[in-house]
């Protein structure tokens, strides 16, 4: 059973470009979470999605950031018009849902904006 | 957003020593989780705690869910070099279905031979 798969592992974008980060959850998991981690800091929640629905986006910046989890295919975190401050590690986690279920993390995508 | 306070922030210990770290919050959580993160990798779940007062072990690791639901601690016994990494606590406050995790600030563990 493959774990949570994120790609790319590393992404370099120039200021003003778009960044697309992909996350394929573990088999059987229908809940996906995105977190951002700045160097030397803990992970901060961004958005929680179930298939085709955004459940909680309270941690997502209101502008330039969007997330989706379509019926078919991976979850996508999209950052438009990237700025240097978007440079960070972005982690995806998945869980099967329900109370007491544990979330498992992918290896992350390290975004560098130059 | 809220972050949980972890202490110590970092620690150097000698191989074979026991390690203790804790995590505190100003609000209640229903679930406490402890993760370890190696450089360049994602967090890996070590222990999950679901009930106040619960004490759970996983090999050399032992964690407890505080009675007040506002804290948790993690102990590592007889540390070895591969214990090096950053340890994060995380609290979860489900309201029906699984919900987001709130992470601690991390404890960086370094082991000297």
């Amino acid at each position: 059973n493959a774990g949570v798969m994120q790609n790319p592992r590393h992404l370099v974008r120039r200021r003003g470009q778009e960044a697309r980060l992909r996350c394929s959850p573990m088999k059987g998991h229908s809940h996906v979470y995105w977190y951002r981690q700045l160097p030397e800091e803990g992970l901060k929640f961004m958005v929680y999605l179930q298939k085709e629905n955004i459940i909680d986006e309270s941690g997502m910046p209101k502008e330039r950031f969007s997330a989706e989890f379509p019926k078919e295919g991976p979850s996508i975190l999209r950052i438009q018009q990237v700025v240097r401050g978007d440079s960070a590690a972005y982690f995806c986690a998945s869980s099967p849902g329900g109370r007491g279920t544990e979330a498992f993390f992918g290896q992350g995508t390290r975004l560098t904006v130059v | 957003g809220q972050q949980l306070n972890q202490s110590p922030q970092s620690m150097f210990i000698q191989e074979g020593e026991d390690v203790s770290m804790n995590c505190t919050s100003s609000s209640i959580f229903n679930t406490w989780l402890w993760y370890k993160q190696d450089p360049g990798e994602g967090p890996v779940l070590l222990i999950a705690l679901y009930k106040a007062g619960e004490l759970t072990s996983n090999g050399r690791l032992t964690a407890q869910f505080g009675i007040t639901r506002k804290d948790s601690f993690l102990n590592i016994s007889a540390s070895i070099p591969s214990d090096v990494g950053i340890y994060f606590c995380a609290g979860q406050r489900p309201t029906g279905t699984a919900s987001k995790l709130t992470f601690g600030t991390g404890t960086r563990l370094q082991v000297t031979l």
Side-chain angles (χ1 to χ4, degrees), chain B residues 17 26 34 43 47 68 70 83 90 96 100:
Chain B
E17 286 185 351
S26 57
W34 284 92
I47 290 182
T68 64
K70 293 183 179 181
D83 290 335
K100 65 185 180 186

Side-chain angles (χ1 to χ4, degrees), chain A residues 2-111:
Chain A
V4 178
M5 303 300 292
Q6 288 187 250
N7 68 81
R9 289 291 308 274
H10 300 274
L11 182 61
V12 179
R13 284 287 178 265
R14 294 187 185 279
R15 279 179 296 171
Q17 290 185 320
E18 178 180 288
R20 280 187 178 233
L21 288 62
R22 293 174 185 77
C23 170
S24 296
M26 288 178 69
K27 188 176 180 181
H29 287 192
S30 59
H31 297 242
V32 165
Y33 310 79
W34 285 93
Y35 291 82
R36 176 162 63 178
Q37 185 178 35
L38 295 172
E40 307 299 318
E41 292 189 11
L43 284 76
K44 295 199 177 164
F45 169 78
M46 298 181 73
V47 62
Y48 162 35
L49 310 101
Q50 293 182 34
K51 282 287 186 182
E52 301 184 275
N53 291 308
I54 295 176
I55 306 302
D56 181 351
E57 56 182 346
S58 58
M60 192 108 94
K62 298 262 185 282
E63 297 179 352
R64 302 188 298 108
F65 285 72
S66 62
E68 61 177 16
F69 188 16
K71 188 175 180 182
E72 301 291 337
S75 175
I76 306 285
L77 178 68
R78 184 179 175 209
I79 311 172
Q80 295 179 290
Q81 298 174 324
V82 295
V83 300
R84 288 235 171 94
D86 296 333
S87 296
Y90 291 83
F91 290 97
C92 167
S94 75
S95 76
R99 290 177 69 92
T101 58
E102 297 144 10
F104 295 88
F105 282 82
Q107 291 182 299
T109 293
R110 275 140 192 90
L111 172 65

Side-chain angles (χ1 to χ4, degrees), chain B residues 3-24:
Chain B
Q3 266 202 317
L4 307 177
N5 293 316
Q6 278 186 249
S7 65
Q9 198 171 15
S10 65
M11 53 198 316
F12 282 88
I13 60 167
Q14 291 207 327
E15 185 178 1
E17 286 185 351
D18 296 344
V19 174
S20 185
M21 60 189 80
N22 67 65
C23 187
T24 59

Side-chain angles (χ1 to χ4, degrees), chain B:
Chain B
Q2 179 188 15
Q3 266 202 317
L4 307 177
N5 293 316
Q6 278 186 249
S7 65
Q9 198 171 15
S10 65
M11 53 198 316
F12 282 88
I13 60 167
Q14 291 207 327
E15 185 178 1
E17 286 185 351
D18 296 344
V19 174
S20 185
M21 60 189 80
N22 67 65
C23 187
T24 59
S25 168
S26 57
S27 53
I28 289 171
F29 287 99
N30 293 0
T31 301
W32 284 91
L33 304 160
W34 284 92
Y35 288 86
K36 178 174 183 266
Q37 186 178 28
D38 292 328
E41 300 293 331
V44 174
L45 181 64
L46 300 174
I47 290 182
L49 302 155
Y50 300 105
K51 290 182 184 177
E54 179 181 355
L55 185 72
T56 297
S57 293
N58 178 9
R60 294 179 297 106
L61 277 59
T62 302
Q64 184 157 30
F65 190 146
I67 289 290
T68 64
R69 295 189 177 190
K70 293 183 179 181
D71 61 347
S72 177
F73 73 74
L74 175 71
N75 286 340
I76 305 173
S77 62
S79 56
I80 59 178
S82 62
D83 290 335
V84 165
I86 304 177
Y87 291 79
F88 290 102
C89 62
Q92 188 175 45
R93 193 182 293 114
T95 54
T97 58
S99 65
K100 65 185 180 186
L101 298 174
T102 301
F103 276 83
T105 47
T107 293
R108 183 182 298 273
L109 179 64
Q110 292 173 275
V111 179
T112 57
L113 299 176

